[in-house]
Amino acid sequence: MTALERIGFMQGRLSAMVDGKIQAFPWAEWREEFPRARALGLSRMEWTIDQDRLRDNPLTTEAGQREIRDLSHRNALRVASLTGDCFMQAPFWKANGDAQQALVADLDLVLASCGALGVEFVVIPLVDNGKIEHAGQEELLLRILRERSASLSAQGGKIVFESDLPPAALAQFIEKLPRETFGINYDIGNSASLGYDCADEIPAYGPRILNVHVKDRLRGGTTVPLGTGAAELGKAIRLIEHSGYAGQYILQTARAAGGDHAGALAGYRDMTVQWLEEAAR
């Protein structure tokens, strides 16, 4: 597999911003992103799904799934992963009673939909509103996910966690779940924003990394164009590659200030190809 074939993009990065948000499901343009990605030579997309209108999202409806399959086939673009912003917006591990049951039903719907479409990785963000705040929440999260391990395995799916935990704590957390179906989504920019050193992180849990987000952020700050923030992107990719990782790199990058989102993504694509090729030397 070439370096380019390993690079994908976060859904929405090839559409106009929604309500000023850097990331949201692009209701008006989601279909158009398939041919736009093909024009850039990208063959992988990471779907996004929000809690708002979750059950209207094309991913979760039979008609939508048929359309996604058709668009994927016609544009040689695989939906290989999904970022579940819905789980961060409304975390089932922080709910109780009927509200918790409803959110767990949403989890099951998303997992089943991903299974039907062959989406391999489901990202659960344990950051911001999804951050685990005490042991009871962690126990609930682990119990509910362990109960779904067998069905995940049967459909070839895996859950990967995005976390703000320091290296040793994240390594300890992921060891509580079976490696066949659970792993880590490593976000290069988020780690840099938190002040973590990838030279400490990758050795701590490198074999559990199953998905990578390519992003740059300021230390303690927001997402910025690749190469302008605190992230040591070339170093991080080299360490990830040398840990044995052979998976995909998803461009979850800054939006274009002037609205040329395809042009910005093309530049980020080329930078990531270069870092991957340098890591292979």
Side-chain angles (χ1 to χ4, degrees):
M1 192 185 304
T2 67
L4 179 58
E5 289 170 331
R6 297 175 63 191
I7 296 171
F9 72 103
M10 183 68 64
Q11 186 184 43
R13 286 325 197 255
L14 288 175
S15 296
M17 293 175 70
V18 179
D19 298 330
K21 299 175 184 175
I22 191 170
Q23 184 166 303
F25 181 76
W27 288 99
E29 298 181 67
W30 72 269
R31 296 172 180 87
E32 286 72 27
E33 288 203 313
F34 286 80
R36 290 171 186 168
R38 184 176 187 177
L40 293 178
L42 296 173
S43 58
R44 295 168 178 268
M45 173 194 290
E46 185 159 305
W47 201 264
T48 60
I49 189 164
D50 299 304
Q51 186 63 29
D52 180 51
R53 298 179 65 190
L54 182 144
R55 289 174 180 263
D56 295 329
N57 190 290
L59 181 105
T60 64
T61 70
E62 289 187 9
Q65 289 173 11
R66 287 193 297 271
E67 199 166 3
I68 292 167
R69 288 190 192 97
D70 179 60
L71 287 164
S72 296
H73 176 72
R74 287 195 281 119
N75 294 282
L77 179 68
R78 179 188 174 199
V79 181
S81 49
L82 170 141
T83 278
D85 284 340
C86 55
F87 305 125
M88 178 175 61
Q89 294 156 356
F92 58 83
W93 54 95
K94 294 188 178 184
N96 298 294
D98 291 344
Q100 182 189 110
Q101 289 184 16
L103 293 176
V104 171
D106 289 341
L107 167 69
D108 287 335
L109 175 62
V110 170
L111 294 180
S113 300
C114 286
L117 286 169
V119 178
E120 185 174 5
F121 302 111
V122 174
V123 181
I124 293 184
L126 302 178
V127 297
D128 299 330
N129 190 54
K131 183 182 179 72
I132 295 172
E133 297 169 314
H134 55 74
Q137 292 177 358
E138 179 177 309
E139 290 169 8
L140 177 63
L141 173 70
L142 293 175
R143 177 180 62 79
I144 288 173
L145 294 181
R146 284 192 190 109
E147 289 171 353
R148 283 147 182 83
S149 183
S151 60
L152 267 173
S153 182
Q155 68 186 33
K158 296 176 176 66
I159 287 175
V160 292
F161 299 96
E162 188 167 302
S163 172
D164 57 8
L165 289 173
L170 182 52
Q172 186 177 38
F173 170 81
I174 200 60
E175 284 305 312
K176 297 176 182 178
L177 289 161
R179 62 180 55 235
E180 294 78 15
T181 44
F182 296 95
I184 291 168
N185 177 83
Y186 183 72
D187 188 303
I188 300 173
N190 287 359
S191 286
S193 174
L194 291 164
Y196 297 151
D197 188 338
C198 54
D200 296 326
E201 294 177 300
I202 309 307
Y205 50 71
R208 299 302 297 269
I209 295 174
L210 300 179
N211 197 47
V212 175
H213 285 171
V214 178
K215 180 196 298 176
D216 203 349
R217 287 180 63 176
L218 300 173
R219 177 76 177 268
T222 189
T223 301
V224 293
L226 296 187
T228 67
E232 297 179 280
L233 288 142
K235 174 184 172 182
I237 289 173
R238 183 176 68 254
L239 289 169
I240 293 166
E241 289 292 288
H242 291 179
S243 76
Y245 182 76
Q248 65 182 11
Y249 289 83
I250 298 296
L251 301 174
Q252 194 186 29
T253 41
R255 307 306 297 267
D260 181 14
H261 301 299
L265 205 65
Y268 300 145
R269 172 204 63 198
D270 293 345
M271 294 169 77
T272 306
V273 165
Q274 182 176 344
W275 286 317
L276 281 169
E277 291 176 344
E278 289 173 352
R281 290 177 192 145

